[in-house]
C-alpha cells in the first residue's frame, strides 16, 4: 500500500497552491534555521531567535480614540495628546455617574449624599456645612439641599453654635453611622468589580498617575490638601 501523502501535499494537490510559507521559506510547525521556532509579537514584529519582543502597548479602542482620530484628520497640525488623557478621565467619570452605584441605589442614596455621610463618618466629628462643602468639592447650596434630605431621613442632625447663630454643626445620627458602615463594604466590592478588568499592579499605577494629576490641579486651584 502506498504511503499517504502529507497533509500539506494533499492540500497542494487539491487547491493547486503550496502550503502557507513564512518569509524565510519555512512553513508553520517547522523550525527556523538554528533549530528554534520564530515568534510573532502582538504588534506583528517577529523574533528570529524565538524570544518575545517587547513592543508598544496596544492603542485603546474607545470613544475618545475615535474622537482623536477625527480631530487628527481635520486638524492634523494640533497635538491631541492632552485630549487622550483629559477626554478619557471625563468620559470615565460620566459613565460611572450614569451607571450609578448599585449598593447606594439599594440604600436609597445618591453618590453626593453618600459623600456627605462618608465625610462625617471618616472625620469622626461634627462639621459645619462649609467644611462639608470643601471636603466634598461641592457648592454651599448643594450641601444645604443634601443635608436637608438626609436630616429628613434621620441620618444627620444639626445643632446651632452657642456663640454664633449663623453657624450650624452637623453630625451623624446612630442610624446614619449604621447605614454608612453597612453600605461601605458593598460599595467597595462594587467598585472592585468595576475595576476587575485591570490587574492590581496596573490599578496601583493608574491610582498613582491620577493622584499626581489631582495633586497638581489642587495646587493650581489653591484647594486644601488633606
Amino acid at each position: 500500500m502506498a504511503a499517504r501523502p502529507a497533509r500539506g501535499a494533499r492540500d497542494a494537490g487539491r487547491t493547486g497552491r503550496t502550503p502557507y510559507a513564512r518569509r524565510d521559506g519555512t512553513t508553520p510547525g517547522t523550525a527556523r534555521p538554528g533549530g528554534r521556532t520564530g515568534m510573532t509579537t502582538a504588534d506583528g514584529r517577529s523574533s528570529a531567535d524565538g524570544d518575545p519582543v517587547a513592543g508598544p502597548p496596544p492603542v485603546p479602542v474607545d470613544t475618545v480614540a475615535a474622537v482623536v482620530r477625527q480631530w487628527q484628520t481635520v486638524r492634523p497640525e494640533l497635538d491631541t495628546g492632552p485630549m487622550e488623557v483629559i477626554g478619557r478621565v471625563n468620559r470615565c467619570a460620566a459613565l460611572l455617574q450614569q451607571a450609578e452605584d448599585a449598593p447606594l441605589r439599594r440604600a436609597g442614596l445618591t453618590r453626593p449624599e453618600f459623600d456627605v455621610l462618608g465625610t462625617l463618618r471618616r472625620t469622626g466629628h461634627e462639621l459645619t456645612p462649609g467644611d462639608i462643602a470643601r471636603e466634598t468639592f461641592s457648592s454651599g447650596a448643594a450641601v444645604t439641599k443634601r443635608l436637608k434630605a438626609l436630616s429628613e431621613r434621620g441620618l444627620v442632625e444639626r445643632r446651632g453654635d452657642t456663640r454664633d447663630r449663623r453657624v450650624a454643626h452637623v453630625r451623624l445620627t446612630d442610624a446614619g453611622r449604621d447605614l454608612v458602615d453597612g453600605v461601605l463594604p458593598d460599595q467597595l466590592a462594587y467598585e472592585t468589580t468595576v475595576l476587575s478588568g485591570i490587574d492590581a499592579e496596573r490599578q496601583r499605577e493608574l491610582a498613582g498617575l491620577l493622584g499626581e494629576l489631582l495633586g497638581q490641579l489642587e495646587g493650581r486651584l489653591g484647594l486644601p490638601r488633606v
Side-chain angles (χ1 to χ4, degrees), residues 126-134 143 147 167-170:
E126 295 180 340
L127 296 173
T128 67
D131 294 332
I132 296 172
R134 285 188 293 272
V143 169
L147 289 175
V167 178
H169 298 272
V170 183

Side-chain angles (χ1 to χ4, degrees), residues 3 8 27 38 44 51 74 100 106 113 137 145 157 159 165 190 200 205 207 214:
T27 57
D51 295 327
V74 299
E100 299 185 4
R106 287 195 297 268
E113 289 173 344
F137 306 104
K145 181 179 179 180
E157 57 186 11
R159 70 171 182 84
R165 294 183 179 180
Y190 170 81
E205 181 182 0
L214 180 59

Side-chain angles (χ1 to χ4, degrees), residues 83-102:
M83 188 182 298
E84 298 187 41
V85 177
I86 304 301
R88 288 191 171 99
V89 170
N90 289 338
R91 179 69 171 166
C92 286
L95 289 173
L96 288 171
Q97 290 174 359
Q98 289 178 13
E100 299 185 4
D101 300 285

Side-chain angles (χ1 to χ4, degrees), residues 13 20 35 40 55 57 61 91 143 186 208 217 220 223:
Y20 169 75
T40 302
V61 179
R91 179 69 171 166
V143 169
D186 290 339
L217 291 174
R220 292 172 188 169
L223 297 176

Side-chain angles (χ1 to χ4, degrees), residues 75 114 168 197:
R75 295 294 305 276
F114 181 74

Side-chain angles (χ1 to χ4, degrees), residues 152-216:
E152 291 173 350
R153 292 183 58 183
L155 302 176
V156 301
E157 57 186 11
R158 305 173 60 152
R159 70 171 182 84
D161 190 280
T162 55
R163 292 174 296 180
D164 188 343
R165 294 183 179 180
R166 297 171 298 176
V167 178
H169 298 272
V170 183
R171 62 185 176 189
L172 284 176
T173 62
D174 290 343
R177 185 183 63 252
D178 291 343
L179 180 60
V180 173
D181 289 349
V183 168
L184 185 57
D186 290 339
Q187 179 63 20
L188 290 173
Y190 170 81
E191 293 174 356
T192 298
T193 301
V194 170
L195 295 172
S196 61
I198 305 175
D199 64 46
E201 181 177 353
R202 296 190 70 187
Q203 285 187 39
R204 288 191 292 270
E205 181 182 0
L206 177 60
L209 292 171
L210 290 174
E212 183 178 346
L213 174 61
L214 180 59
Q216 291 180 13

